[in-house]
C-alpha cells in the first residue's frame, strides 16, 4: 500500500507529539479510507443488480477506467507538486487528430506520426509550464487557456469532422484484449507501479513532495521547483497524448476525432482528488489515484447497472467530489493542529 | 464568421408552389412528400406584406452557434444553397462558441443590422429567443426556425418553423426496430446526449411506438450517454451488462452510432442499433453492419428550406407555420444518396490545414 503523505508530513505529526488512534490512522490514510466506501458502494450496486460483479462488468469497468487512470498518473505528480492541468482532455483530442492528420494527409508512417504527436503533447505541457512557472499565471488559468487553444486547433485541423480512414495498424493496440482487459489498462497499471516507486523511493519523488508541500522552503533548500513543475506538466500532457492515441486506436472506426476527451479532465481531477491527492499540494499517491479513478468508474457504471435515473449520475459524482475535497480540507486542518 | 453568397434577386421564383418540389429525387424527396401531405395539416398563413412585385433588397442571415460542428457546417452550406437558388443575398452570422449567451448576443446584433431582411435561427426552440423574434417583428423581419419544433404561439407570428415532426418520426423508428426484431423478446435501450426537449420527445415517441408495435419487447428508461465517445461507450456497455436480454438500442444523438458500435465491440454482443444523423462516420457504420440504421434528420432540407421560406415571406407569400419534413430510417441499402450529399457538401466545408 502506498504512502498517503510524504515523510516530512509524517514527521510533523509525530513531532506534534500525537499518536494517532486506529480510526484516525484509517482516516489519514486515504488509500485505506477510500476502500471502505468503495466496497460499500460496490456491494450496494451488487445488491441492486448482481450484474455489477459479473466478469464482463468487472473487465469493462477496468478497461473504461484506464484512460482517466492513465492521465491521472501524470495529474497526481502535478497536483502533488502544487499545480493542476485543465487541458488534458483537449490534449487527448489534439494528439489524436494531429496523428491522424499526419497519417492521412501527410501520408507519414504510423510510428513517425505517433512520435510527432507525442512530441506535440510534450510541447503543450512545456507551454503550460512556461505560462505557470515563468510567466507566473495561476495554473488553472494557464491550462484553461491552453485547453481552448488545443481544442480549437483540433477543430481547425479536422474542420470538425473525424479524420479517417487510417492505416489498419492503428487499430492493433486498441483491439488487444490481454486477459479480457485492454492494452491501456496494463499500461496504466505499469505506470501506477512506476509512479508509486518514483514517489516513494526516489529523490525525484521527494523533490515533488517538497515542491508541493512548501515551495518556498523547498527553494531555500536549493530545489529547483520550476524544473520539477515543468517535468510534471510535461508528463501530464505526455500521458494525455498517449491516452488520445489509444482512444483513436480503440474506436469502432479508428479516427482522429476532435470530440475525444471532451470534459474528461474534470473526471480525472475528481478521481485524483477522491484518491487522496491534496488540492493544496504535497500529498497523494499513485495507488490512491488508481483507487479514486476506479471508484469514480464504479459509481458511473453502477448507477446505470443498478437502474438509477440517468439524472442522478452527475449529482452523484459531484457529491463524491465534495466529500473527497471536504475530507482533504479536514485532514489539512487536522494536520495543521 | 460572416460568409456571403450573392445572387440575383428574382421575385419570379415566387411561382414555386411547394418548397423544393422542383427536385423530386434523392434527399429532396423528403420535402416534396411532406409538402403535399402533412405540411397542410397545420397551416397558419404567415405573411409579412413583403415586396411582391419588386426586388428584394437587404441581406438574409443564418444565425448559429457551435459553427465548427460538421452537422452545423452542413446546415450553413445548405442554407447558402437555398439562398443561391432563390437569388437572395445571404450571410452566415455564426460563432464557434457553444454558449447560449454567445448565440443570443449574435442574434441581437444580427437583427439590429440595418440591412437585415430576414433571419434563420438555429435556436433550439429556446424561449430565450422570443424577445429577439419580437424585435425582428418590430422591424418587419421574417424569421425561419429550422430543426427544433415548438408549439405555435410560442413566438411572435413573424416566425415559422421547418422541421421533422418529433411526435411522428419516432414512430417510424419503432416500426423499423420492431420489423428487424420480429419474433424476438428482450429489452431495447434508449440513450440521449443529454436531456432536452427534442431528444426527450424522440425517446418518448419511440417508447410509445414500441409498446404499440412490439409489446413483448421492453423499452428501458433513457440513459444519458453524453458527447465524449469513450464515456458514451462506457454508459452503453453498462446498460448491456445490466440487461443481459438486450436486443436493440436507439440513440437519439448523432454520436449514438459510434456509441453502440463501440459497446458491441466491447461486449462482443450484437444488437440492433439505430442512431441519428447522416454523418460520414455514421453512414460507414451502417454500411459496415455495425449499426443497423440511422435516422436521417432533414438537416439539408430544413436549412435550404429556411431560405425558401424567408424568400416567400419577404415577398408577402403565405407560408404555413410548420413545414413538416420527413426523417426517414436509413438502412444500408439507402445510404447512397446521403453519401452523395456529403460528397458534395463536405468539399465546401472549412479546409483542413494544408502542409
Amino acid at each position: 500500500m502506498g504512502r498517503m503523505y510524504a515523510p516530512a508530513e509524517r514527521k510533523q505529526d509525530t513531532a506534534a507529539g500525537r499518536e494517532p488512534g486506529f480510526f484516525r490512522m484509517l482516516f489519514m490514510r486515504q488509500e485505506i479510507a477510500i476502500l471502505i466506501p468503495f466496497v460499500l458502494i460496490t456491494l450496494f450496486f451488487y445488491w441492486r443488480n448482481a450484474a455489477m460483479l459479473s466478469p464482463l462488468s468487472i473487465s469493462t469497468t477496468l478497461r473504461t477506467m484506464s484512460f482517466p487512470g492513465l492521465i491521472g498518473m501524470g495529474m497526481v505528480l502535478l497536483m502533488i507538486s502544487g499545480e493542476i492541468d485543465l487541458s488534458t482532455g483537449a490534449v487527448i483530442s489534439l494528439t489524436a487528430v494531429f496523428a491522424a492528420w499526419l497519417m492521412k494527409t501527410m501520408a507519414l508512417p504510423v510510428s513517425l506520426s505517433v512520435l510527432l504527436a507525442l512530441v506535440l503533447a510534450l510541447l503543450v505541457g512545456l507551454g503550460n509550464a512556461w505560462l505557470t512557472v515563468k510567466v507566473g499565471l495561476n495554473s488553472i488559468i494557464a491550462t484553461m487557456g491552453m485547453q481552448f487553444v488545443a481544442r480549437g486547433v483540433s477543430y481547425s485541423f479536422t474542420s470538425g469532422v473525424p479524420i479517417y480512414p487510417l492505416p489498419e495498424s492503428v487499430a492493433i493496440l486498441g483491439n488487444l484484449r490481454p486477459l479480457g482487459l485492454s492494452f491501456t489498462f496494463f499500461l496504466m497499471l505499469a505506470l501506477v507501479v512506476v509512479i508509486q516507486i518514483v514517489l516513494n523511493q526516489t529523490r525525484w519523488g521527494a523533490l515533488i513532495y517538497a515542491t508541493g508541500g512548501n515551495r518556498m522552503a523547498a527553494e531555500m533548500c536549493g530545489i529547483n521547483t520550476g524544473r520539477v513543475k515543468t517535468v510534471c506538466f510535461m508528463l501530464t500532457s505526455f500521458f494525455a497524448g498517449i491516452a488520445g492515441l489509444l482512444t483513436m486506436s480503440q474506436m469502432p472506426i479508428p479516427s482522429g476525432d476532435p470530440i475525444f476527451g471532451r470534459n474528461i479532465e474534470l473526471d480525472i481531477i475528481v478521481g485524483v482528488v477522491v484518491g487522496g491527492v491534496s488540492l493544496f499540494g504535497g500529498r497523494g499517491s499513485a495507488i490512491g489515484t488508481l483507487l479514486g479513478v476506479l471508484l469514480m468508474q464504479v459509481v458511473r457504471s453502477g448507477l446505470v447497472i443498478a437502474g438509477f435515473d440517468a439524472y442522478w449520475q452527475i449529482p452523484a459524482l459531484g457529491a463524491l467530489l465534495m466529500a473527497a475535497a471536504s475530507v482533504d480540507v479536514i485532514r489539512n486542518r487536522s494536520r495543521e493542529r | 464568421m460572416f460568409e456571403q453568397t450573392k445572387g440575383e434577386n428574382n421575385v419570379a421564383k415566387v411561382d414555386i408552389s411547394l418548397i423544393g418540389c422542383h427536385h423530386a429525387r434523392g434527399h429532396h424527396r423528403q420535402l416534396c412528400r411532406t409538402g403535399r401531405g402533412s405540411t397542410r395539416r397545420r397551416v397558419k398563413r404567415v405573411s409579412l406584406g413583403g415586396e411582391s412585385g419588386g426586388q428584394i433588397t437587404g441581406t438574409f442571415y443564418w444565425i448559429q452557434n457551435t459553427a465548427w460542428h460538421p452537422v452545423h457546417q452542413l446546415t450553413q452550406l445548405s442554407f447558402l444553397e437555398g439562398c443561391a437558388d432563390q437569388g437572395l443575398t445571404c450571410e452566415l452570422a455564426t460563432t464557434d462558441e457553444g454558449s447560449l449567451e454567445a448565440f443570443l448576443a449574435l442574434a441581437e446584433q444580427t437583427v439590429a443590422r440595418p440591412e437585415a431582411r430576414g433571419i434563420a435561427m438555429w435556436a433550439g426552440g429556446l424561449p430565450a429567443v422570443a424577445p429577439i423574434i419580437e424585435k425582428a417583428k418590430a422591424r418587419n423581419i421574417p424569421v425561419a426556425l429550422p430543426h427544433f419544433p415548438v408549439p405555435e404561439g410560442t413566438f411572435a407570428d413573424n416566425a415559422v418553423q421547418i422541421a421533422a415532426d418529433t411526435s411522428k418520426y419516432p414512430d417510424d423508428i419503432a416500426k423499423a426496430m420492431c420489423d428487424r426484431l420480429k419474433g424476438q423478446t428482450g429489452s431495447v435501450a434508449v440513450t440521449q446526449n443529454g436531456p432536452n426537449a427534442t431528444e426527450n420527445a424522440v425517446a418518448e415517441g419511440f417508447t410509445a411506438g414500441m409498446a404499440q408495435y412490439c409489446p413483448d419487447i421492453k423499452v428501458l428508461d433513457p440513459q444519458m450517454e453524453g458527447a465524449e465517445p469513450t464515456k458514451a461507450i462506457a454508459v452503453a456497455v453498462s446498460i448491456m451488462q445490466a440487461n443481459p436480454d438486450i436486443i436493440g438500442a436507439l440513440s437519439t444523438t448523432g454520436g449514438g452510432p459510434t456509441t453502440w458500435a463501440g459497446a458491441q465491440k466491447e461486449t462482443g454482443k450484437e444488437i440492433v442499433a439505430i442512431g441519428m444523423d447522416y454523418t460520414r462516420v455514421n453512414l460507414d457504420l451502417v454500411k459496415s453492419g455495425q449499426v443497423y440504421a440511422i435516422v436521417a434528420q432533414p438537416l439539408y432540407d430544413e436549412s435550404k428550406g429556411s431560405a425558401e421560406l424567408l424568400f416567400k415571406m419577404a415577398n408577402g407569400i403565405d407560408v404555413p407555420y410548420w413545414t413538416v419534413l420527413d426523417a426517414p430510417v436509413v438502412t444500408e441499402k439507402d445510404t447512397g444518396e446521403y453519401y452523395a450529399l456529403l460528397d458534395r457538401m463536405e468539399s465546401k466545408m472549412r479546409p483542413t490545414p494544408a502542409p
Side-chain angles (χ1 to χ4, degrees):
Chain A
M1 184 60 64
R3 187 177 54 206
M4 181 203 67
Y5 48 19
E9 293 155 7
R10 193 180 292 167
K11 280 173 194 165
Q12 281 177 6
D13 273 358
T14 51
R18 283 179 279 119
E19 276 301 321
F22 177 71
F23 288 107
R24 183 178 153 79
M25 272 190 62
L26 275 186
F27 177 69
M28 295 296 281
R29 290 190 72 90
Q30 183 80 0
E31 295 94 334
I32 295 173
I34 198 174
L35 280 175
I36 297 167
F38 176 76
V39 170
L40 290 176
I41 287 169
T42 305
L43 287 176
F44 172 70
F45 288 137
Y46 177 70
W47 170 69
R48 294 269 303 193
N49 188 339
M52 183 72 197
L53 290 180
S54 70
L56 181 62
S57 279
I58 294 170
S59 62
T60 308
T61 301
L62 294 178
R63 279 206 301 270
T64 308
M65 58 91 66
S66 305
F67 289 103
L70 181 63
I71 304 167
M73 289 308 111
M75 193 73 86
V76 67
L77 298 176
L78 187 60
M79 288 179 69
I80 291 172
S81 79
E83 303 295 350
I84 199 165
D85 188 347
L86 299 180
S87 68
T88 48
V91 173
I92 288 177
S93 160
L94 182 65
T95 47
V97 301
F98 185 59
W101 178 74
L102 291 173
M103 289 175 212
K104 186 160 188 280
T105 311
M106 303 287 284
L108 292 186
V110 173
S111 54
L112 183 58
S113 303
V114 165
L115 190 68
L116 291 174
L118 291 176
V119 169
L120 179 63
L122 283 169
L123 288 175
V124 171
L126 189 62
N128 283 333
W130 182 77
L131 289 169
T132 305
V133 175
K134 295 292 182 191
V135 178
L137 291 183
N138 183 299
S139 57
I140 291 176
I141 302 299
T143 58
M144 195 185 291
M146 188 62 81
Q147 178 194 71
F148 291 137
V149 171
R151 184 72 68 185
V153 171
S154 292
Y155 286 129
S156 70
F157 257 116
T158 58
S159 307
V161 182
I163 299 177
Y164 79 102
L166 302 177
E168 285 183 9
S169 58
V170 171
I172 290 174
L173 286 181
N175 287 333
L176 281 182
R177 290 285 181 270
L179 301 176
L181 296 167
S182 66
F183 173 80
T184 312
F185 175 76
F186 287 102
L187 178 64
M188 178 208 67
L189 218 52
L191 273 176
V192 170
V193 174
V194 170
I195 299 292
Q196 190 65 39
I197 290 171
V198 166
L199 286 173
N200 269 359
Q201 309 293 338
T202 70
R203 181 173 167 273
W204 254 101
L207 294 182
I208 293 170
Y209 279 119
T211 298
N214 189 329
R215 185 177 62 85
M216 289 184 70
E219 285 176 354
M220 287 175 71
C221 293
I223 296 171
N224 186 341
T225 58
R227 193 170 65 177
V228 170
K229 289 182 179 186
T230 300
V231 170
C232 292
F233 269 116
M234 291 178 74
L235 279 176
T236 306
S237 284
F238 183 71
F239 294 156
I242 292 175
L245 296 171
L246 290 170
T247 301
M248 176 170 77
S249 173
Q250 75 159 37
M251 283 292 110
I253 297 178
S255 60
D257 193 332
I259 206 164
F260 287 166
R262 187 170 162 188
N263 293 336
I264 208 168
E265 57 277 344
L266 296 178
D267 282 11
I268 296 160
I269 290 168
V270 174
V272 171
V273 172
V274 168
V277 177
S278 174
L279 290 163
F280 304 97
R283 196 167 65 237
S285 71
I287 291 173
T289 297
L290 175 74
L291 293 173
V293 172
L294 180 60
L295 178 60
M296 293 287 298
Q297 190 53 48
V298 164
V299 172
R300 268 190 185 283
S301 300
L303 286 169
V304 177
I305 292 172
F308 280 94
D309 189 293
Y311 299 110
W312 280 106
Q313 291 175 32
I314 297 170
L317 296 178
L320 256 184
L321 175 63
M322 287 189 284
S326 301
V327 168
D328 181 39
V329 171
I330 293 166
R331 280 190 319 181
N332 226 37
R333 279 194 205 135
S334 168
R335 198 179 51 156
E336 283 167 3
R337 281 200 300 269
Chain B
M1 184 178 84
F2 280 81
E3 191 172 312
Q4 192 172 48
T5 179
K6 290 189 178 181
E8 189 183 339
N9 295 327
N10 185 354
V11 289
K13 292 195 179 182
V14 298
D15 291 338
I16 298 168
S17 56
L18 287 168
I19 298 168
C21 283
H22 50 300
H23 302 293
R25 301 178 62 187
H27 41 268
H28 301 286
R29 280 189 318 225
Q30 298 171 357
L31 214 46
C32 291
R33 274 202 300 268
T34 52
R36 294 192 191 96
S38 48
T39 302
R40 298 191 180 246
R41 282 186 294 133
R42 298 166 181 261
V43 170
K44 177 205 176 194
R45 297 294 169 185
V46 176
S47 168
L48 291 172
E51 305 175 11
S52 214
Q55 209 176 43
I56 299 175
T57 55
T59 305
F60 294 79
Y61 290 98
W62 176 264
I63 304 170
Q64 194 172 41
N65 63 353
T66 324
W68 56 266
H69 194 284
V71 168
H72 285 192
Q73 288 196 58
L74 175 71
T75 61
Q76 293 154 26
L77 293 166
S78 307
F79 175 73
L80 294 177
E81 274 200 8
C83 290
D85 281 0
Q86 303 302 326
L88 300 176
T89 298
C90 292
E91 286 187 14
L92 301 179
T94 61
T95 173
D96 281 355
E97 286 186 55
S99 68
L100 176 63
E101 291 74 20
F103 176 81
L104 293 176
L106 180 68
E108 291 267 13
Q109 292 157 9
T110 308
V111 169
R113 285 176 161 243
E115 74 279 13
R117 187 66 190 88
I119 57 171
M121 282 200 287
W122 195 263
L126 298 171
V129 299
I132 297 169
I133 294 174
E134 290 283 358
K135 285 179 189 173
K137 185 181 179 185
R139 294 196 54 215
N140 205 30
I141 294 173
V143 177
L145 301 169
H147 197 68
F148 304 98
V150 293
E152 191 170 357
T154 304
F155 299 123
D157 61 6
N158 58 323
V160 296
Q161 64 187 13
I162 176 168
D165 188 343
T166 49
S167 69
K168 180 181 172 298
Y169 74 80
D171 193 68
D172 297 336
I173 305 170
K175 270 183 202 158
M177 180 73 83
C178 285
D179 285 346
R180 186 68 176 175
L181 295 173
K182 197 173 283 179
Q184 297 184 50
T185 55
S187 57
V188 169
V190 179
T191 51
Q192 301 179 210
N193 184 330
N196 61 67
T198 303
E199 290 191 75
N200 293 352
V202 174
E204 285 163 17
F206 173 74
T207 304
M210 291 292 287
Q212 184 183 345
Y213 301 121
C214 39
D216 292 339
I217 295 175
K218 179 188 174 191
V219 179
L220 304 171
D221 289 338
Q223 292 285 345
M224 304 302 142
E225 62 174 82
E228 207 283 324
T230 57
K231 287 199 279 188
I233 290 170
V235 169
V237 168
S238 296
I239 295 170
M240 292 180 81
Q241 291 162 4
N243 302 280
D245 65 341
I246 194 165
I247 51 177
L250 167 70
S251 171
T252 60
T253 181
T258 294
T259 300
W260 283 102
Q264 291 176 80
K265 184 180 167 185
E266 287 287 308
T267 58
K269 180 175 182 178
E270 288 188 10
I271 61 171
V272 175
I274 299 179
M276 307 297 280
D277 294 343
Y278 49 84
T279 62
R280 189 171 290 276
V281 171
N282 290 353
L283 292 174
D284 285 352
L285 288 169
V286 172
K287 201 175 175 185
S288 66
Q290 297 180 69
V291 168
Y292 171 59
I294 51 116
V295 180
Q297 296 190 87
L299 301 165
Y300 175 82
D301 290 306
E302 60 198 6
S303 309
K304 186 179 180 189
S306 294
E308 295 167 355
L309 284 171
L310 291 177
F311 174 82
K312 286 188 172 183
M313 286 193 282
N315 278 295
I317 298 167
D318 287 345
V319 297
Y321 169 67
W322 187 353
T323 302
V324 184
L325 306 179
D326 277 353
V329 176
V330 177
T331 55
E332 193 274 332
K333 63 181 168 43
D334 303 318
T335 52
E337 64 185 85
Y338 295 95
Y339 275 120
L341 175 64
L342 291 180
D343 287 344
R344 190 161 59 82
M345 301 304 262
E346 281 179 355
S347 63
K348 298 176 190 171
M349 288 186 181
R350 295 188 202 176
T352 300

